């Protein structure tokens, strides 16, 4: 899914093997978390090269929920667990 972190079968030449998905459609764009380079590849190739989905950043999910709530013009209570 969009903004998930993934590990591919081969690492990037910069030495990092952590990528973030920044575009999803017929093509997938992933961004290297080491050097910031991005690669666009067909979904079929992405599925072949994917090794595993890594656990994401929980704080980013909380920010997304808060932003969505404000954009819908209602918010009753926001609870953030550390």
């Amino acid at each position: 899914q969009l903004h998930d972190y993934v590990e591919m079968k081969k690492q990037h030449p910069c030495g990092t093997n952590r990528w973030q998905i920044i575009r999803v459609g017929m093509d997938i764009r992933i961004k290297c978390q080491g050097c910031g380079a991005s690669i666009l590849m067909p979904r079929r190739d992405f599925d072949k090269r994917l090794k595993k989905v890594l656990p994401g950043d929980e704080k980013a999910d909380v920010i997304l929920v808060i932003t969505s709530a404000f954009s819908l013009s209602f918010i009753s209570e926001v609870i953030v667990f550390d």
Side-chain angles (χ1 to χ4, degrees), residues 49-65:
R49 296 177 184 180
L50 177 67
K51 186 172 183 181
K52 65 181 175 179
V53 178
L54 301 172
D57 186 10
E58 293 175 11
K59 290 185 180 183
D61 294 338
V62 170
I63 291 169
L64 178 63
V65 169

Side-chain angles (χ1 to χ4, degrees), residues 13-37:
C14 73
T16 304
N17 200 7
R18 183 175 168 97
W19 300 82
Q20 182 181 22
I21 300 174
I22 57 176
R23 181 183 186 277
V24 178
M26 280 186 62
D27 298 322
I28 307 284
R29 183 174 297 274
I30 56 176
K31 182 177 179 183
C32 177
Q33 296 302 291
C35 65

Side-chain angles (χ1 to χ4, degrees), residues 58-67 69-70 74-82:
E58 293 175 11
K59 290 185 180 183
D61 294 338
V62 170
I63 291 169
L64 178 63
V65 169
I66 292 170
T67 305
F70 280 117
F74 71 92
I75 184 166
S76 59
E77 186 176 340
V78 176
I79 300 172
V80 178
F81 296 101
D82 288 328

